[in-house]
Amino acid sequence: MSLTALLESFCHIWLPWNIALAVFGVFLCFTGRFWQRNTSPLLRRVGYCCAIYLSIYPLFTTALAARFPQLATAMGALTPPSVGESALPALRAFNWPALLGAVWAVGTLACAAARILPRVRFRRWLAQNRRPLSERAAAILENVELQMDAMDELRHGKTLDERPRHRVGLTGRASTRSAAYVVEGLPGPMCVMDTASILGREKAGRECLLLDREDYDEETLDAIFRHELAHIVPSGLWLWGYEDVIAVLCWWNPAVWLLRRCLREETELYCDEYANRHRSKERRAAYARVLTEFATRKRAFLPGTAQMACGDKGMLRRRVKAVLEPPPRRRFLPLGILFLLIAILCATLFHLPGNAPLVTEGTFLSFLHAPGNHAQAFALSPAGLYGAEEAACVCEAGTIVSLSLTYAGEEALAEGQTRLAAALTDRLGAPVAVGEGETVWQAVDESDARTEVRLARGDGFTLVIA
């Protein structure tokens, strides 16, 4: 595959994805708080994943395109026409997808470097400045791990018995499942997932909890460990990392940055809900007090980390209210399913099935002598192509040598032939030969090389441009 074709593919693959995510992000900007108050965090996270994944894979849009072909064709107009590189400068249209793909790729590489390099430096700094937890903090962490494991076994409506499950002072040092360290100089408690560069190969891949200091009271340490552990459970990792993916691949799209903000909020709300499952009102109130204390800190961006800081005041109010007054369970399922259906609709509506090149009346000639293959299909513009209903190509040695246009009947064919002949005459000048079944024009490039363009009747109700 040539570099130009690769850049075109880059543009055609990611543009529908960007459109779908942008629409979903704008939708959440206006309705996000309603869903947060009235739906299950789990179903919301499933909806986010559907919007991100389904808008990439064309498999889920095939059925939609088959059921609503007019809609699929109209959505195809959102994608720039793939015009290729014509061997005839006189016929060549500007290759917008390749140009957009080049600009997009350069920006993507720059954004990726801007996120990878600080992450490497941060990991090295952590490796040099970490130290193990004290016996007191390790004991609290061990107790939190045991209690969160017990939460998974309780049924809805049951309250967890949160009495200490360890006797560290009598039996020795706590044995924690998660790696945890104190790193002075951090802006606050946080967790990281990629710990290979911190802990060495024998512990690579383990989650790592980081404290900026460990002289917090027991209530605060309990809330910190619960929240950070909620980030690294399997369901807590569903949306972790997509902020960076979206920032890299959608750096130019302002609407998608709204979705990034919603992703951050959703992750925090889910972790608050997960950390307080089956807990009493008193324990939830203690957790909310810790949230309020950390709200006074300014949230600092550190690559590849999850932090407990709350952000703006509006977000703090929503988090505290969700902890103290979780929405009624009876409203979870119906509204959650509705949210999931809307996310799927946003993901599939703006995807061009198959990424077929769009043939328009302004670009059809540029497909001649462009790279192609025998199985290549074309999508006609919403207005059609001089009355044609279908378009196909004939290739030789990997190059498109002719286009075949199919019409509905004899009258449509005659009208299309007249319109095509007028358009070719307008672009290439008067024809050099006019026959009963074929008309020939001649294109001259900058080096005075001549190339003939032929318009002829094919089999059935078809016209062939070669």
Side-chain angles (χ1 to χ4, degrees), residues 35-50:
W35 304 112
Q36 290 173 0
R37 291 193 302 266
N38 297 282
T39 58
S40 164
L42 179 62
L43 286 177
R44 292 201 307 269
R45 291 168 75 81
V46 173
Y48 275 85
C49 290
C50 287

Side-chain angles (χ1 to χ4, degrees), residues 79-143:
T79 305
S82 178
V83 299
E85 286 189 352
S86 173
L88 306 177
L91 306 180
R92 185 180 302 154
F94 194 78
N95 197 341
W96 284 107
L99 176 62
L100 293 177
V103 175
W104 201 333
V106 171
T108 296
L109 293 175
C111 289
R115 278 159 175 77
I116 293 174
L117 295 180
R119 182 170 299 185
V120 173
R121 292 197 297 267
F122 179 59
R123 294 298 193 272
R124 291 178 178 175
W125 181 80
L126 288 180
Q128 297 173 356
N129 294 275
R130 65 180 174 87
R131 61 180 174 83
L133 292 181
S134 66
E135 182 176 307
R136 168 179 170 270
I140 296 174
L141 175 58
E142 180 193 21
N143 190 55

